[in-house]
Amino acid sequence: MNQTNAFPFSLPWDDSSATATSVASLNPAPLTTQHKLTAKNGHFYDATGRRVRFVGVNIGAAAAFPSKADAPKIAARLHKYGVNLVRLHHMDAQWATPNIFNSKGRYTKTTSLDPVSLDLLEFFIAQLKRNGIYVDLNLHVSREWLPGDGFPITQEKLPELGKVVAYFHPRAIELQKQFATQILTHKNPYTSLPLALDPVLALVELNNEDSLIGSAGQAAALPSALRKPLEAGWQVYLRKKYLNTVTLRQAWNTGQSLGMEQLNRNVAGWTAETHEKTQMELASISVAGQTNAPGGQVLHVTKLKSDGTNWHLQLHQTSLTLETGKTYTVSFVARAAAPRTVYVNARLDQAPWSMVGLDTSIGLNIAWKRYSFTFIANGNVVPGHCRLSLTVGDSDADIYLGEWSLRPGGGGMQFVSGQSLEKGTIELGQISGSNSGVDYTHYLMTVEDSYCRTMKAAVLATGCTASIACSQASYGGMAGLYRESKLDWVDMHAYWQHPNFPGSAFDPNNFQIENTPMTASSGAGVLDGLAMHRVQGKPFTVSEYDHPAPSEYSAELTPLIFAYAAWQDWDGIFLFAYETAQSDKITGFFDQQLHPGKLGFLPAAAALFLRGDLAPAPNAIQLTVPKAKVPGLKALGTDYAFWGLSETRFVQGSLKNAPEKIDSKTFLTHRAAVRFEEDPGPLALVVQNPKPMQESTGFVWDHAAQQVRVSSPASKALIGKLGGKAARVTGFLAEVAPSKRNFAVLTLTARDGKPTELSRSLLLTVLDKAENPGMTWNADRTSAADAWKSGPTQLEVPSATIQIATKATKATVWALEGTGKRRQEVPATLENGTLTLAIGPEHKTLWYEIETA
């Protein structure tokens, strides 16, 4: 950081003072029965009919159990900054002390709640309620399945955090139902109500970032004792649909004849890709004589050294030619030295490296097994520049691969000797575009649906009327989105440039970040990936979002995501995460509460979003998907059907009303939604474009200038590459002086909600970056030593001339302290309806209060 212009500036962890930075009045407090929420007509409403949007934060693990001395201060500070929902997350984490099952640390069973932890949690919830803050209760996030819970004992490693198994194992489901009943029905002594009946409870999430469909490979690699319920259900599903093996074979053995081989059948045709400190070696071996072994040479992937990031270890065959709309079959015989997951995909071998029709996972065991996947090439297919990839970085277990093939055509099913529907010996399938692959996809969808119905019934049985979701919609692709469409609301997660960890996961001292602004991306950053998951007629939230520290561009986070959420007419953004550390410095990657570059813009962002200052985009795009086609869409790998629609009109029949081009920028100018319908016809795309987009409509992403500009009567924002030029929206102009990065974020907010030219009280927020002193960046500024070591946090702010249109006859400007208290008056002139002031590091603040008369 440039020590010449940098200055210390921290936000007190317990500040709830009623200053110019307080937006507490945006949310009613305390919450009463009239504030109880219902999801209807695509949004949330309280009992008075008032629409409720959420400015949320995640508070998880040990932070969800603050002391009784701290809890009131934390809740009051959240209220000051406009927060009206807390997502209670990772309360079941083994690594947290306390957690909901053991106030002293790691647990050996989870059949009862720890009374000390529960008391602290319920006291905290009471304080949130007092401050007008709703709760999103997460039921299963990190909970592990243990012998002490009566779970089947196994020596083999289960998926981390209890994932995958949670959907189908009877004991895991019983334990989840038990936990839901316990936490929802216990009477809170501080509110005199059980949580199930308390208006403070707005949302319930059954699971977090988990999907059986999206993790089919992990399920197949589970120990045999744990797979049994899933395998038994598969036999029941097939017997109900096909009655006997003869009918099953007839249905599965249809397909196109196979064409010429596309892959190099020599081991030398494979290349290894490693990242950071990962490693692996490729060798050619013979496995003659092994049971069910493939013929010819076998690829042995050995001496793997994983860092826990799966894409850091990959195998490729490159320079392949695929044709858009054409059917292909990938097959191979494989095993592993120990049960593990492998991800199989077809994608470009050049930028933008996008998928071209195949993206699935398999579970390898120690026995040889044949795998086959049928897909249709789609998306941005470039002849001669496609590749088949196996992503193997999840484990260090050796892999053996033989008889690999990629050929046009296919779709049939080769039965392994001895498989019989009558005997119940049909193996678990693979998700692919063949008839058998579509059946297996649909089967997994029915398992997820059964889980959702069972868990929702358990929650409702407590008397709870809160809105319920299962997991994030992208977990399971199109099938995951359909799963969530049948519940009360739809949720997603996203992070811009999440850190990578070359060593151990989440090591605070060994990380890599890309460290570029989202406003400089060529498309829409991560925003389009969120927008395409909204379901028509359902409320939509993003319950985890962040631009992680120590990015030098974190200041764009808060105004950008809340402005976009308003533009899309979403219902909530929950920043990740709000810890309860008491410090004067940024304490970690996802720090919200002590990061001036994130929290400092929250008063402006909360005002814009909660008041509805920015009207939704007038243009809209809607994709209609027949429900019956969802298994086929998922099986074919066409999860995100919005992508490349002009190139994927073949998908399950022709695409009606396809425009000439749909790309990421479409989601910056149009509200987006998916609608599922009974009509078995083709997918249909409807684009509403009533008038050309003008800047006066409110949200403009100017890619040429690398800026986002937000304009509404009561809220303005200028975000991105602003240095050395003038940037403006209606009634607000900033001439930002050149700097090394020319990056800045400025917001102008009418505190009274009036148009800014009529407002008597304005808040101006300005920042370049915030970071801890003493950081040592590497040469390309993608990693920094001592990122969290020293404090207090320091700010760099731009020097700029600001012009604000006003009808006032008098104006006074103050630079504010970290609590929002006035520190010093700032010179300003008011002439001919324009207030002009010069701002810069000399004022040692990111906040300016403007009072007019």
Side-chain angles (χ1 to χ4, degrees), residues 212-226:
L212 178 60
I213 298 168
S215 304
Q218 284 185 287
L222 286 170
S224 58
L226 294 184

Side-chain angles (χ1 to χ4, degrees), residues 40 394 443 465 472 499 583 603 709 815 847:
K40 60 182 180 180
D394 278 359
Y443 165 64
T465 60
Q472 286 58 55
S583 178
R709 299 185 291 272
W847 285 322

Side-chain angles (χ1 to χ4, degrees), residues 64 75 156 222 542 744 762:
E156 298 168 275
L222 286 170
V542 180
L762 299 166

Side-chain angles (χ1 to χ4, degrees), residues 478-816:
M478 182 62 77
L481 185 62
Y482 182 50
R483 177 193 66 227
E484 300 303 314
S485 75
K486 292 182 280 187
L487 295 164
D488 298 324
W489 103 97
V490 178
D491 183 52
M492 279 291 291
H493 291 170
Y495 294 82
W496 172 248
Q497 298 184 344
H498 193 290
N500 294 314
F501 300 95
S504 58
F506 296 99
D507 184 340
N509 300 310
N510 186 12
F511 63 89
Q512 293 268 330
I513 60 172
E514 293 181 58
N515 197 21
T516 63
M518 193 161 80
T519 45
S521 66
S522 59
V526 298
L527 301 183
D528 51 343
L530 294 172
M532 66 178 66
H533 286 89
R534 183 177 185 178
V535 172
Q536 185 67 35
K538 297 286 183 179
F540 182 83
T541 65
V542 180
S543 69
E544 290 185 20
Y545 190 83
D546 193 25
H547 293 207
S551 170
E552 297 176 285
Y553 303 94
S554 291
E556 69 183 3
L557 156 69
T558 311
L560 181 54
I561 188 59
F562 280 101
Y564 186 73
W567 190 236
Q568 287 289 326
D569 203 19
W570 294 347
D571 299 281
I573 300 293
F574 312 162
L575 302 177
F576 191 96
Y578 191 100
E579 301 295 338
T580 51
Q582 300 174 17
S583 178
D584 61 356
K585 65 181 180 181
I586 300 168
T587 55
F589 304 105
F590 309 107
D591 189 333
Q592 300 291 330
Q593 81 284 3
L594 299 171
H595 196 308
K598 299 178 183 180
L599 196 67
F601 282 99
L602 195 56
L608 179 150
F609 189 62
L610 295 177
R611 295 189 312 212
D613 286 359
L614 180 61
N619 302 338
I621 180 170
Q622 178 180 282
L623 179 69
T624 299
V625 180
K627 296 176 181 179
K629 294 190 184 298
V630 173
L633 288 168
K634 170 58 187 173
L636 282 168
T638 51
D639 284 344
Y640 305 106
F642 266 124
W643 282 114
L645 286 176
S646 60
E647 290 86 21
T648 58
R649 300 182 188 189
F650 65 89
V651 175
Q652 296 279 305
S654 62
L655 178 67
K656 295 187 296 188
N657 306 324
E660 289 302 313
K661 185 175 180 61
I662 294 291
D663 61 17
S664 58
K665 294 179 182 178
T666 305
F667 298 91
L668 298 175
T669 57
H670 292 70
R671 286 175 289 116
V674 176
R675 183 169 69 90
F676 295 96
E677 65 172 20
E678 300 295 341
D679 183 355
L683 281 74
L685 187 71
V686 177
V687 180
Q688 299 173 353
N689 188 23
K691 59 182 180 180
M693 300 297 294
Q694 302 292 332
E695 182 153 343
S696 60
T697 60
F699 184 95
V700 173
W701 190 313
D702 185 338
H703 289 85
Q706 298 184 15
Q707 295 176 2
V708 171
R709 299 185 291 272
V710 180
S711 180
S712 74
S715 292
K716 324 280 186 183
L718 300 169
I719 308 167
K721 192 172 183 179
L722 305 176
K725 63 186 74 173
R728 72 177 73 221
V729 291
T730 304
F732 181 47
L733 179 145
E735 294 181 334
V736 179
S739 64
K740 185 176 182 180
R741 298 181 307 127
N742 284 326
F743 179 83
V745 181
L746 299 91
T747 62
L748 181 68
T749 305
R751 297 184 62 238
D752 52 14
K754 297 178 181 179
T756 53
E757 67 268 23
L758 300 176
S759 176
R760 292 294 175 257
S761 181
L762 299 166
L763 178 66
L764 175 66
T765 309
V766 182
L767 187 62
D768 176 341
K769 67 175 178 178
E771 66 183 29
N772 294 333
M775 292 176 57
T776 305
W777 286 99
N778 62 359
D780 57 2
R781 304 187 78 80
T782 57
S783 188
D786 298 324
W788 327 112
K789 182 177 180 180
S790 303
T793 296
Q794 295 188 338
L795 305 187
E796 282 190 11
V797 298
S799 295
T801 299
I802 305 297
Q803 294 184 351
I804 301 170
T806 179
K807 295 186 180 300
T809 58
K810 181 180 179 182
T812 310
V813 181
W814 286 275
L816 306 180

Side-chain angles (χ1 to χ4, degrees), residues 278-279 304-310 313 392-396 502-503:
T278 63
Q279 64 183 39
L304 289 92
K305 181 180 179 182
S306 170
D307 62 5
T309 302
N310 65 358
L313 287 169
V392 300
D394 278 359
S395 168
D396 292 340

Side-chain angles (χ1 to χ4, degrees), residues 175-299:
L175 289 168
Q176 291 173 83
K177 290 165 59 180
Q178 181 188 70
F179 175 70
T181 301
Q182 290 171 337
I183 199 164
L184 288 169
T185 60
H186 186 269
K187 183 178 180 180
N188 185 334
Y190 306 105
T191 63
S192 300
L193 286 172
L195 187 56
L197 304 181
D198 199 319
V200 74
L201 183 62
L203 307 174
V204 174
E205 294 178 50
L206 305 179
N207 219 323
N208 176 71
E209 294 188 352
D210 195 10
S211 167
L212 178 60
I213 298 168
S215 304
Q218 284 185 287
L222 286 170
S224 58
L226 294 184
R227 290 200 313 269
K228 285 182 178 179
L230 194 64
E231 292 171 332
W234 178 226
Q235 309 307 317
V236 171
Y237 173 90
L238 292 176
R239 283 195 296 269
K240 183 177 180 180
K241 183 169 184 178
Y242 292 112
L243 301 180
N244 56 58
T245 305
V246 173
T247 307
L248 176 63
R249 284 178 179 269
Q250 291 174 346
W252 282 7
N253 279 332
T254 60
Q256 305 171 22
S257 60
L258 293 173
M260 296 292 293
E261 180 61 58
Q262 305 287 315
L263 298 183
N264 185 332
R265 298 301 298 271
N266 296 315
V267 168
W270 291 96
T271 59
E273 178 182 341
T274 62
H275 294 266
E276 309 301 339
K277 297 180 180 179
T278 63
Q279 64 183 39
M280 61 181 171
E281 292 183 8
L282 307 184
S284 176
I285 64 171
S286 172
V287 294
Q290 295 183 14
T291 302
N292 295 324
Q297 60 178 339
V298 168
L299 174 68

Side-chain angles (χ1 to χ4, degrees), residues 377-527:
N378 68 78
N380 186 26
V381 178
V382 181
H385 283 288
C386 297
R387 77 185 189 195
L388 177 69
S389 298
L390 276 64
T391 305
V392 300
D394 278 359
S395 168
D396 292 340
D398 281 15
I399 297 169
Y400 302 85
L401 185 73
E403 297 183 4
W404 51 87
S405 175
L406 168 60
R407 300 168 70 183
M413 167 71 177
Q414 292 185 353
F415 278 79
V416 176
S417 176
Q419 287 194 78
S420 165
L421 189 55
E422 289 77 11
K423 294 178 181 179
T425 55
I426 305 297
E427 294 182 348
L428 292 177
Q430 290 107 40
I431 293 176
S432 77
S434 64
N435 288 349
S436 60
V438 174
D439 275 345
Y440 189 59
T441 304
H442 185 244
Y443 165 64
L444 296 181
M445 289 174 62
T446 67
V447 176
E448 287 197 350
D449 187 58
S450 175
Y451 168 81
C452 291
R453 287 185 281 106
T454 298
M455 287 303 303
K456 183 172 182 178
V459 171
L460 296 179
T462 67
C464 177
T465 60
S467 296
I468 298 172
C470 176
S471 191
Q472 286 58 55
S474 59
Y475 283 76
M478 182 62 77
L481 185 62
Y482 182 50
R483 177 193 66 227
E484 300 303 314
S485 75
K486 292 182 280 187
L487 295 164
D488 298 324
W489 103 97
V490 178
D491 183 52
M492 279 291 291
H493 291 170
Y495 294 82
W496 172 248
Q497 298 184 344
H498 193 290
N500 294 314
F501 300 95
S504 58
F506 296 99
D507 184 340
N509 300 310
N510 186 12
F511 63 89
Q512 293 268 330
I513 60 172
E514 293 181 58
N515 197 21
T516 63
M518 193 161 80
T519 45
S521 66
S522 59
V526 298
L527 301 183

